[in-house]
Amino acid sequence: MKQALRTIAKGVTIVEFHLFLTTLLVMVIHLSIFQMNIQEQIDWIQANTRVFALILAGVFLASLLLARYSLRFFTYISSSTKRTRLTSVLAIIFSSILSAILVNFFFQIANQLFQVDAAIDWIQENSSIFLVSSIYLALFALGLYLLIGNVHVTHLLYLTVGAGLAYAHYNKMKFRSEPLYPSDFNQIAHVGDVIPMISEYLSIGLLLLIAAAIILLAVLIPFLPKGKMVWWSRLAVLPIVAFLLYSFTYYESTYANKVIDKMEVSLIPWNQVQNYKTNGFVVSFLYNMQGNQFAKPDEYDKKRVTDITKSLPLSGAYSTASATPGFKQSPNVIFLMSETFWDPTKLENLQFSEDPMPYIRSLMKEYPSGQILSPSFGGGTANVEFEALTGMSTSFLKTGTTPYQEMVTGQDPFPTIASTYKQHGYDTTAFHPYKRVYYKRPNVYEQFGFDAFVSKEGFEHTDKNGGKYISDAALTKEMIQHLEKTDEPSFMHVVSMQNHFPYDGKQYEEMRIDVEGLSSKYEPMMEEFAEGIKRTDEATKQLVEQLEQLDEPTLVVFWGDHLPILGSDKALYKEARFTEGKSEEQAEVLYHETPLFFYANYPIQKKELGTISPIYLPSLALEYSGTPKPPFYDFLSELKQDLPGIQKRIKLDEHGNILTKLPKKELALLSHYKLLEYDLLDGQQYTEEELFSQ
């Protein structure tokens, strides 16, 4: 067996050598005979792919005829210690560069959603960026070798990790239309929960083929030439490589910044999908590693923000809700953020056998209602609840930032709507029928002023009703039970889970809504999503009916966190022609609007809220519950009158119109808001006491 493996390993070594020889010969032929430069070679190869493949195969097969001479060559170079060391070092450097180019190519293919031609086009147009980013990746490969000491183990590991990162980036782009960010690795411990959600979309055959190749190479590694460097030389080179890696990783604060400038990189921080497509995966990923999630405004200082605070109007000057009648006791307040709740009948080219949300639609006609302009699409739930609980916009933050994981945990306590109600004698509890560890919620909720956090591990009602997650009906029972056993008024922040991705058509035994207008591939997906919305509608009716019987005034703020992932790269939306004929800005709004309504079992005035950002939910809730507002939330009421919709790329006026240019007043208000938020979230908190005083 060992002899057979040695024979195979020797064959692999010869193949490796002849692949290198083939590549070198073809490049020489192109350079010398056809007198092509690198750019022209790439153009020629792209235009003559089949011819190039035949040339490559022919040269490779011809070189194999010289196999016995290559064996003599190996014997010759191994006969001298000096020659062996030199060739080993050259082989290590060459293999590091080759692996880096290959991994970089993987990244570009993933960036272009596996469109190889588009990836090659990008490399042609951005050869300097590709070259520098490949050198950076080669430093990683070399550093890994210096730590491991075996060139084949190093590159097997390197290529496996590189391909894995590229595949993760591809899947995130495909499903959420969002690139892979460094912050995503904060949730790496939960990857086991994510894989089942996307397993239906993974190519099992491809994964098995890759796994088989990795196993085969792993078995052959002990029999392959080692390509060694003595330990002391590796130890001597390692600090140099580490220094170079650090310099380029954090280029904004090192000399490497000059290299990046010479590359003429055009960063597009406000549109990260375009940023990755324009500048490539490596440069864009590194940009998002620079920290500085909230860039310090130039005009920020203590005097400026305290002057803004002093200029704020008296509390109550900008209330937009009708005054609530006097209560014998303060009303309970429930923030109910419904996972992926969206109105599928907005896909007007489809036909539904029945309305999936008739009860909620009736509530929206009777009570204050509108649409939430979500900061996220297909995911990013934590950023939506961050806005809703704090009144602070993620539009000022670097795209890809998750404040729960990167910013909030440094402040304790952190002012929120929960801490405001707590100051008024409320019991404050957060509910989420899933695992408690996501997004650092236990720590964050504690800092936000919650007395308790109840995850699925603490739920008494765990019925799934045929679904994959705890149902909204079970969640309703949990909420009512908490209200019944709590003596003081309650503020409850509830994040549901029932309608979470994926929608594979296999979740429910019975789907009661038929959908027409889609291909057979997507009809089951939409029917399953519609069934989930119908079940949420039924659970909402159950909640309201029980609150009507409850001898306690209660306010419910209900909204969907984001639209669903329906097929890769928004495939179902595209097939249904959801944004057909719309501008890019109009499509952006459509992909971020979810239903919103306020319900109360006491009289509140019906009001059309339009499309608003989650940042305004705290101020509205305080008004509808008759609770005095701290100055910060009163300021948000003022801001809402002029800019009800604030997203990174979109601003909406009170009529829902997209503002292409902000008027002077709105610009000033937005500037004040940004300064105050920076001070509270990432600055010195000069204004916290004043802004949240009662």
Side-chain angles (χ1 to χ4, degrees):
M1 181 64 178
K2 286 185 178 181
Q3 185 58 43
L5 289 173
R6 287 192 183 95
T7 303
I8 295 172
K10 185 178 288 185
V12 169
T13 304
I14 293 170
V15 168
E16 285 177 338
F17 172 74
H18 286 284
L19 281 174
F20 166 69
L21 184 63
T22 298
T23 306
L24 188 62
L25 283 171
V26 171
M27 294 293 284
V28 168
I29 289 169
H30 274 225
L31 286 168
S32 59
I33 299 177
F34 296 107
Q35 296 184 339
M36 291 182 177
N37 59 31
I38 299 295
Q39 190 77 17
E40 290 172 332
Q41 285 186 60
I42 295 173
D43 288 336
W44 187 89
I45 291 168
Q46 193 172 6
N48 302 274
T49 309
R50 292 184 180 179
V51 175
F52 178 73
L54 288 172
I55 292 173
L56 208 62
V59 173
F60 176 66
L61 290 172
S63 71
L64 285 180
L65 297 175
L66 305 172
R68 62 176 181 172
Y69 297 107
S70 63
L71 284 172
R72 289 181 184 177
F73 174 73
F74 288 132
T75 304
Y76 168 73
I77 62 173
S78 61
S79 63
S80 166
T81 304
K82 289 183 178 179
R83 281 196 295 266
T84 302
R85 287 178 182 174
L86 177 61
T87 52
S88 292
V89 170
L90 291 174
I92 290 160
I93 294 172
F94 173 76
S95 60
S96 297
I97 293 171
L98 194 62
S99 295
I101 291 172
L102 194 58
V103 166
N104 208 1
F105 190 56
F106 290 163
F107 288 151
Q108 292 317 125
I109 293 175
N111 225 12
Q112 302 293 341
L113 296 178
F114 277 27
Q115 297 178 39
V116 178
D117 281 352
I120 294 172
D121 286 339
W122 182 89
I123 293 169
Q124 287 179 269
E125 295 167 7
N126 302 274
S127 54
S128 62
I129 295 177
F130 185 79
L131 176 62
V132 172
S133 56
S134 293
I135 292 172
Y136 172 78
L137 292 173
L139 287 171
F140 258 109
L142 183 57
L144 191 61
Y145 166 76
L146 294 174
L147 290 171
I148 295 174
N150 184 303
V151 69
H152 294 290
V153 172
T154 295
H155 296 300
L156 175 61
L157 180 62
Y158 183 77
L159 290 171
T160 301
V161 172
L165 286 176
Y167 197 53
H169 175 58
Y170 163 72
N171 279 291
K172 195 176 179 202
M173 288 279 283
K174 184 170 71 167
F175 295 124
R176 289 188 54 189
S177 300
E178 187 176 71
L180 189 70
Y181 298 120
S183 59
D184 292 325
F185 292 91
N186 291 324
Q187 293 292 324
I188 194 70
H190 313 304
V191 69
D193 296 318
V194 176
I195 289 174
M197 296 178 185
I198 64 171
S199 59
E200 292 288 325
Y201 303 91
L202 298 177
S203 172
I204 303 302
L206 176 62
L207 293 176
L208 289 174
L209 183 63
I210 292 171
I214 291 170
I215 292 169
L216 176 61
L217 287 173
V219 170
L220 291 177
I221 278 172
F223 305 97
L224 292 168
K226 300 297 185 290
K228 287 184 176 181
M229 285 176 64
V230 293
W231 68 267
W232 57 264
S233 61
R234 299 205 325 263
L235 194 62
V237 176
L238 185 58
I240 300 172
V241 173
F243 171 74
L244 291 171
L245 280 172
Y246 176 85
S247 298
F248 278 90
T249 300
Y250 299 102
Y251 64 85
E252 282 191 353
S253 56
T254 69
Y255 72 90
N257 195 21
K258 294 178 181 178
V259 178
I260 302 297
D261 287 343
K262 287 181 180 179
M263 290 162 57
E264 298 182 354
V265 172
S266 301
L267 293 168
I268 313 171
W270 58 90
N271 185 342
Q272 286 290 338
V273 171
Q274 193 60 42
N275 191 35
Y276 274 67
K277 286 187 178 295
T278 301
N279 300 303
F281 177 88
V282 175
V283 170
S284 301
F285 191 85
L286 289 180
Y287 165 75
N288 286 292
M289 283 188 71
Q290 301 309 303
N292 198 24
Q293 286 84 8
F294 196 155
K296 182 180 178 181
D298 293 336
E299 60 270 37
Y300 175 73
D301 59 39
K302 183 176 182 179
K303 184 179 185 305
R304 179 65 173 147
V305 291
T306 52
D307 284 348
I308 292 172
T309 304
K310 290 174 184 177
S311 69
L312 296 181
L314 295 174
S315 181
Y318 287 94
S319 293
T320 56
S322 62
T324 51
F327 301 110
K328 293 181 180 178
Q329 65 183 93
S330 298
N332 302 309
V333 178
I334 302 174
F335 268 31
L336 179 47
M337 188 170 76
S338 185
E339 171 62 42
T340 323
F341 188 86
W342 177 67
D343 181 1
T345 65
K346 281 193 168 187
L347 296 170
E348 296 177 355
N349 294 311
L350 305 186
Q351 295 80 48
F352 294 81
S353 60
E354 63 176 274
D355 185 357
M357 44 179 282
Y359 187 73
I360 288 177
R361 211 179 297 281
S362 69
L363 289 176
M364 294 178 73
K365 291 178 181 177
E366 185 178 351
Y367 293 94
S369 64
Q371 300 287 317
I372 281 290
L373 184 65
S374 174
S376 301
F377 170 83
T381 297
N383 281 6
V384 186
E385 62 175 302
F386 170 79
E387 290 200 356
L389 290 172
T390 66
M392 299 181 192
S393 176
T394 57
S395 67
F396 302 129
L397 309 181
K398 180 184 289 187
T399 304
T401 298
T402 305
Y404 274 20
Q405 297 175 159
E406 300 162 75
M407 305 184 77
V408 169
T409 51
Q411 294 187 42
D412 190 9
F414 193 95
T416 65
I417 185 64
S419 62
T420 297
Y421 276 113
K422 189 172 183 176
Q423 289 176 18
H424 289 281
Y426 277 67
D427 162 81
T428 54
T429 306
F431 289 86
H432 181 44
Y434 202 58
K435 298 179 181 180
R436 65 187 285 108
V437 293
Y438 280 94
Y439 296 116
K440 298 183 179 178
R441 279 192 176 106
N443 294 336
V444 170
Y445 286 160
E446 183 178 355
Q447 291 172 256
F448 276 9
F450 285 99
D451 298 316
F453 171 34
V454 183
S455 61
K456 77 170 190 176
E457 293 86 354
F459 270 51
E460 292 185 27
H461 304 90
T462 58
D463 298 336
K464 296 183 179 179
N465 294 344
K468 296 179 180 178
Y469 309 105
I470 292 176
S471 68
D472 285 357
L475 182 59
T476 293
K477 294 176 183 177
E478 202 75 26
M479 293 157 58
I480 294 295
Q481 178 179 281
H482 181 78
L483 290 176
E484 290 175 341
K485 69 181 184 182
T486 307
D487 295 329
E488 61 264 43
S490 289
F491 172 74
M492 300 164 61
H493 172 57
V494 183
V495 181
S496 75
M497 193 66 187
Q498 173 187 280
N499 295 324
H500 197 283
F501 173 87
Y503 317 103
D504 52 14
K506 302 174 183 178
Q507 184 168 182
Y508 305 113
E509 293 181 3
E510 178 188 10
M511 291 193 282
R512 295 164 288 177
I513 299 177
D514 296 323
V515 178
E516 295 182 359
L518 290 169
S519 63
S520 58
K521 180 178 180 180
Y522 293 117
E523 269 188 11
M525 183 183 292
M526 177 48 65
E527 288 175 351
E528 182 173 279
F529 178 75
E531 176 64 29
I533 297 299
K534 183 176 179 64
R535 293 182 182 218
T536 299
D537 190 71
E538 293 167 346
T540 304
K541 183 178 181 181
Q542 177 188 349
L543 174 65
V544 170
E545 287 176 348
Q546 294 193 55
L547 290 178
E548 293 288 344
Q549 302 300 316
L550 190 69
D551 190 25
E552 297 177 14
T554 303
L555 173 73
V556 177
V557 186
F558 178 105
W559 76 98
D561 59 351
H562 53 70
L563 270 70
I565 295 172
L566 296 172
S568 62
D569 195 24
K570 300 177 180 173
L572 189 149
Y573 296 102
K574 292 176 180 177
E575 186 173 301
R577 306 188 301 281
F578 180 46
T579 59
E580 189 175 72
K582 305 294 183 183
S583 68
E584 185 178 336
E585 292 78 12
Q586 290 170 328
E588 182 81 6
V589 173
L590 286 174
Y591 279 123
H592 289 83
E593 280 186 323
T594 62
L596 161 72
F597 69 84
F598 286 73
Y599 157 81
N601 60 2
Y602 54 83
I604 57 173
Q605 182 180 350
K606 160 64 179 168
K607 183 179 177 66
E608 180 55 50
L609 299 174
T611 299
I612 67 172
S613 292
I615 60 173
Y616 298 117
L617 296 181
S619 56
L620 284 169
L622 290 167
E623 291 173 18
Y624 282 119
S625 64
T627 309
K629 286 191 295 182
F632 179 70
Y633 294 128
D634 210 45
F635 168 73
L636 288 179
S637 294
E638 178 189 7
L639 183 64
K640 178 179 171 294
Q641 292 185 343
D642 296 291
L643 286 174
I646 298 175
Q647 198 214 45
K648 187 170 286 290
R649 288 189 282 173
I650 299 292
K651 306 293 183 290
L652 301 179
D653 66 13
E654 66 272 24
H655 304 296
N657 299 317
I658 297 169
L659 294 171
T660 54
K661 185 178 180 180
L662 292 181
K664 187 176 180 179
K665 179 187 176 184
E666 282 76 1
L667 273 174
L669 280 171
L670 196 63
S671 175
H672 289 179
Y673 178 37
K674 183 177 182 179
L675 283 166
L676 293 176
E677 181 175 325
Y678 178 82
D679 181 55
L680 294 167
L681 182 58
D682 208 34
Q684 300 301 314
Q685 293 85 50
Y686 296 126
T687 61
E688 182 176 328
E689 184 176 350
E690 190 72 25
L691 288 175
F692 289 91
S693 61
Q694 296 293 330

